[in-house]
Amino acid sequence: MPSQLVITAVDGIVTAHARATGEVAWAFRIPDGKADHPHVTRIHADEQRVVVVAGRMEESGFFATADATAHVCCLDYATGELLWRHPLKGGQNIAHFTATLLVEGGQVLVAHAEILVAFSLETGKQQWQRKVERTATRGIYTSVGLAVPGHAQQGDRK
């Protein structure tokens, strides 16, 4: 049986559309208090939850610099209710948004700047955090690909 909702995520806003009609069922904005700036947004959905990670982009001269904070939120699939959230600070401001999201086996894995963090999908409790080596060259962070057997996510290139 097909899922009842189609989920979109753009500019820090997650919207659920009824699959049969396209009508909006619910909408959620990343709670970082900066709706006037564009956001880079990544998403994962299953039948019970929607997990999103987003970061604010600020224009600075010729470059768009990402706020070094990635906001990780878990929502109820049917209602859009916020179940849990965590801000992840990734050091100094960085040249681009580096967060990569992988949800598998009851865990939410996020790589951002030089950290890799695991959260419980069910509770949002942080299970562990580790430093990822070789993510920065001359102070510029690169995105980290994440993989488990049968499932992989790649971050953006700079």
Side-chain angles (χ1 to χ4, degrees):
M1 181 166 149
S3 58
Q4 295 184 355
L5 299 174
V6 175
I7 310 294
T8 61
V10 64
D11 200 20
I13 301 170
V14 181
T15 307
H17 303 269
R19 192 164 177 172
T21 65
E23 291 187 37
V24 173
W26 56 260
F28 175 83
R29 176 178 284 284
I30 294 298
D32 72 350
K34 298 290 184 175
D36 56 335
H37 291 282
H39 288 67
V40 177
T41 311
R42 310 225 190 296
I43 190 166
H44 168 88
D46 63 29
E47 297 81 17
Q48 297 177 347
R49 291 177 185 79
V50 176
V51 180
V52 61
V53 60
R56 181 176 77 243
M57 301 299 287
E58 296 180 13
E59 294 300 325
S60 174
F62 292 109
F63 301 99
T65 54
D67 179 305
T69 302
H71 298 272
V72 184
C73 299
C74 182
L75 313 173
D76 181 87
Y77 173 82
T79 66
E81 175 188 353
L82 178 64
L83 301 174
W84 56 263
R85 75 179 182 131
H86 291 281
L88 296 179
K89 189 71 171 170
Q92 307 264 335
N93 278 3
I94 50 183
H96 65 288
F97 187 62
T98 64
T100 305
L101 171 67
L102 178 68
V103 179
E104 197 269 342
Q107 284 185 313
V108 175
L109 302 163
V110 179
H112 178 53
E114 62 183 3
I115 60 173
L116 172 62
V117 184
F119 299 102
S120 164
L121 177 60
E122 180 71 27
T123 66
K125 181 179 178 188
Q126 183 174 320
Q127 297 172 328
W128 51 264
Q129 177 176 319
R130 299 286 183 266
K131 183 176 179 178
V132 178
E133 300 297 327
R134 303 180 57 87
T135 58
T137 304
R138 288 179 258 151
I140 298 174
Y141 291 99
T142 58
S143 297
V144 176
L146 294 176
V148 295
H151 193 88
Q153 292 294 326
Q154 302 301 320
D156 288 343
R157 296 180 185 187
K158 54 177 190 169

